[in-house]
Amino acid sequence: MKHLLPLALALAAFVAAAAEPLRIVTLGDSITKGVRPGVKAEDTFAARLEAGLRVVSLEVSVVNVGIGGERTDQALKRLAKDVLARKPAVVTVMYGTNDSYVDPGRDAARLTVEEYRANLARLVDELRAGGVVPVLMTEPRWGKAAKLNGVGEHPNVRLEKYVEACRAVAAEKRTPLVDHYLHWTQAEAKGVDIGAWTTDQCHPNPEGHRVLAELMLPVIRAALKPSPSAATSAPMPACWRTRSEISTMISGFSLRKVLAFSRP
């Protein structure tokens, strides 16, 4: 029986790992944070994403680390502590609204497009180095009635250049992309008042967060799955399995098999 103990402990560790939800982190600014007057935590796209993935039997925990007013340079400074330390499988990265904004009394954006693009590339590289699958996302489009920026132009004029940079980094790094800006632009072109998806022409209201989450779901589901080459070369890790698959696996691992393995 003494040979049984190590295998029993190993099985217990496997069961614990299988039961632990797969972690997803949503990194971004106030649009990612979501919570504000009129928007509760359960209304945010992060909460809706978790609920949507659980509906299709994916055991996940979505951790929202969005901070209001944040830019890409600030995200880099806290990446290790606030994101990588949580050991996520997937991290969504959505910035650009603050990076591109021109404040009153200023004549330039808070960060240049070149700085923004370089920061995004670094975020992708550092996430991958930490064993994480990064998913880039463009910011949603401002509503038509948005207040003009510091140089008297609609905020979308500057934001579009940063959106293009985000798409370019995604293509260059072969990173999954959720293009919220394109989706909101297309909706507006069809006559939708996208301002009605926001609390203030910028920050999504519950309906806006629903729209964001719905666009994210298929991309995140795909990001959670191993590549075909990985799937053929090694068993699928427990974190990629559904609840029913894990239950079948564990129930099939009988005590008789454990005893057989423990023979000298």
Side-chain angles (χ1 to χ4, degrees):
M1 292 295 292
K2 66 180 181 179
H3 299 292
L4 180 60
L5 183 58
L7 286 169
L9 292 174
L11 177 58
F14 172 81
V15 172
E20 184 177 347
L22 187 62
R23 186 171 294 111
I24 299 169
V25 169
T26 57
L27 176 65
D29 52 29
S30 56
I31 293 175
T32 295
K33 179 182 178 182
V35 177
R36 59 189 301 101
V39 183
K40 301 185 293 292
E42 57 266 34
D43 296 326
T44 64
F45 73 73
R48 291 173 183 270
L49 177 65
E50 178 176 296
L53 291 170
R54 286 178 178 265
V55 165
V56 294
S57 298
L58 285 172
E59 290 299 295
V60 299
S61 172
V62 178
V63 181
N64 187 343
V65 298
I67 291 182
E70 189 166 71
R71 308 179 306 255
T72 48
D73 56 331
Q74 296 164 323
L76 281 166
K77 293 177 181 178
R78 68 183 180 101
L79 190 67
K81 178 182 177 181
D82 288 356
V83 180
L84 294 176
R86 300 177 188 273
K87 300 188 182 303
V90 173
V91 172
T92 64
V93 180
M94 184 165 69
Y95 288 98
T97 299
N98 292 308
D99 302 68
S100 66
Y101 196 73
V102 181
D103 293 296
R106 306 297 296 270
D107 59 3
R110 294 171 181 172
L111 291 182
T112 67
V113 176
E114 293 75 21
E115 289 171 328
Y116 168 78
R117 178 169 176 162
N119 291 340
L120 269 190
R122 271 192 62 193
L123 284 167
V124 169
D125 290 343
E126 292 187 19
L127 287 168
R128 282 183 172 156
V132 178
V133 176
V135 175
L136 292 179
M137 305 201 300
T138 60
E139 298 267 27
R141 184 180 180 90
W142 292 72
K144 284 184 178 180
K147 183 180 178 180
L148 301 183
N149 63 18
V151 291
E153 64 188 10
H154 193 283
N156 284 333
V157 174
R158 296 289 174 115
L159 179 56
E160 284 181 357
K161 299 174 182 178
Y162 291 70
V163 166
E164 291 169 3
C166 180
R167 292 169 181 156
V169 172
E172 176 188 326
K173 299 289 185 180
R174 297 187 177 183
T175 306
L177 175 70
V178 181
D179 202 338
H180 295 299
Y181 191 88
L182 176 62
H183 184 71
W184 287 46
T185 298
Q186 291 175 336
E188 188 173 67
K190 293 176 182 177
V192 175
D193 176 11
I194 60 173
W197 289 352
T198 73
T199 62
D200 57 0
Q201 301 295 312
C202 175
H203 298 91
N205 59 20
E207 177 62 11
H209 279 283
R210 182 194 65 78
V211 173
L212 296 176
E214 285 189 357
L215 196 66
M216 293 170 65
L217 270 168
V219 179
I220 302 303
R221 284 189 67 184
L224 289 172
K225 296 179 181 179
S227 64
S229 59
T232 57
S233 62
M236 184 184 295
C239 64
W240 279 321
R241 299 182 186 273
T242 65
R243 183 189 305 172
S244 60
E245 289 173 326
I246 291 169
S247 299
T248 300
M249 242 183 351
I250 294 172
S251 63
F253 196 12
S254 67
L255 180 60
R256 180 176 299 177
K257 291 179 181 178
V258 173
L259 289 172
F261 292 153
S262 68
R263 293 171 185 168

